Amino acid sequence: MLRVGHQNVYHLYNKVPDLCVFLSQSTPNYNIFGITESRLDSRISDQDINIPNYCISRKDSLVIGQTAIAVYIHNSIADITHRRQDLESDLVECIWLELKPSTSAPNIFVCILYRNPSASYEWFDNFVQMIDNIHTVKPHADILVLGDFNIDLLKPHSSWDSTITLLGLTQLVKSPTRITQTSATLIDHIYTNNPDVITEVSVPDLSISDHCPISCSRSIKLPKCEPQTHSYISFRSFKHFNKAAALGPVH
């Protein structure tokens, strides 16, 4: 089973401890968890945002309007997961990954995406072109796209609905993903062109920002996870420390 999730956290650096707890307590483990609006730049290293048992792929903000994306990839699938920068559009802020589970299973393309609410209408054409390019590079590709689209699907969006239908995609999230005291919106979406293999879609209540995390599970056989080893630290015990004896007599 492949479990993929996403959350808009609005600044990742100061939320890493909370995210670490969230990922470590999630059962089953997330294989891939994408972060939008990470707000990372070159001043923050991968080590600064490290989470045990995960490696990280990131796309820092380089132009106005981009807010940076980070993706945590569980070590159990690191060897079969590859970044596909050749599929990433310069005009759509996203990270594409390709999973190669086995010679007999289809490759899976996973995208973590953020659409700035101030983006122009050209963004929609760029999104269509990017998805079309996937099918050109890999006909019949198995696609999962998760992200903050800033399109509230609790309201009518006939043009966007038509676009998604033409691309052969199905949107899976049905519950509000951003809830405030005065509003509830469904702006974080999951799209797939193969909904028959999706076994679960969830919007957990636990959240580390004003966006709820979203996730889905896809039926596929993955490499077995190695048992997680415990981390150990060494320290000197001062339980029986005698300050006077240590300092010696006063002269």
Side-chain angles (χ1 to χ4, degrees):
M1 193 71 66
L2 175 71
R3 192 179 188 201
V4 184
H6 157 268
Q7 186 170 18
N8 179 320
V9 302
Y10 192 73
H11 290 285
L12 173 60
Y13 180 71
N14 60 355
K15 295 185 175 76
V16 170
D18 294 326
L19 180 60
C20 184
V21 172
F22 173 75
L23 292 179
S24 64
Q25 293 183 350
S26 297
T27 305
N29 286 327
Y30 282 98
N31 302 106
I32 297 173
F33 197 85
I35 299 293
T36 52
E37 285 208 78
S38 69
R39 306 281 174 168
L40 298 177
D41 57 35
S42 58
R43 294 171 296 178
I44 301 174
S45 69
D46 287 354
Q47 189 61 36
D48 292 331
I49 54 173
N50 177 62
I51 291 180
N53 301 310
Y54 285 87
C55 56
I56 189 168
S57 185
R58 54 193 274 189
K59 187 174 189 178
D60 294 354
S61 52
L62 300 175
V63 300
I64 295 175
Q66 293 187 354
T67 58
I69 294 175
V71 182
Y72 288 93
I73 303 164
H74 197 273
N75 290 341
S76 62
I77 65 165
D79 290 341
I80 64 168
T81 305
H82 306 279
R83 176 84 175 265
R84 290 297 304 267
Q85 289 180 284
D86 58 311
L87 302 177
E88 296 171 10
S89 169
D90 293 334
L91 303 172
V92 177
E93 189 175 10
C94 63
I95 287 179
W96 278 97
L97 302 172
E98 181 180 9
L99 280 76
K100 302 180 179 181
S102 68
T103 55
S104 58
N107 291 2
I108 303 171
F109 292 82
V110 177
C111 176
I112 304 298
L113 176 150
Y114 176 74
R115 173 184 168 270
N116 196 306
S118 63
S120 68
Y121 282 103
E122 293 179 355
W123 185 93
F124 298 98
D125 293 332
N126 296 328
F127 176 80
V128 171
Q129 185 176 350
M130 181 179 70
I131 299 298
D132 284 341
N133 184 47
I134 301 291
H135 292 295
T136 300
V137 173
K138 190 75 173 181
H140 312 297
D142 199 328
I143 296 173
L144 267 176
V145 181
L146 300 86
D148 179 359
F149 282 76
N150 280 301
I151 300 170
D152 182 12
L153 296 183
L154 297 182
K155 299 177 181 178
H157 289 280
S158 56
S159 178
W160 177 246
D161 293 341
S162 298
T163 298
I164 292 304
T165 300
L166 287 172
L167 291 172
L169 299 175
T170 300
Q171 204 288 120
L172 303 175
V173 182
K174 306 303 180 184
S175 304
T177 61
R178 186 172 185 268
I179 302 173
T180 69
Q181 293 182 344
T182 58
S183 67
T185 54
L186 200 175
I187 59 177
D188 301 277
H189 309 167
I190 300 176
Y191 294 95
T192 180
N193 62 343
N194 195 1
D196 292 340
V197 298
I198 302 300
T199 60
E200 180 188 13
V201 179
S202 64
V203 183
D205 292 333
L206 179 64
S207 180
I208 59 175
S209 74
D210 60 353
H211 288 249
C212 298
I214 57 175
S215 70
C216 67
S217 296
R218 187 199 187 282
S219 178
I220 193 168
K221 187 176 182 180
L222 294 173
K224 291 184 178 180
C225 296
E226 294 294 329
Q228 294 184 6
T229 58
H230 294 285
S231 297
Y232 297 93
I233 59 173
S234 299
F235 64 96
R236 179 177 295 176
S237 174
F238 287 88
K239 182 177 180 180
H240 302 292
F241 178 69
N242 187 317
K243 183 177 179 180
L247 294 176
V250 178
H251 298 284

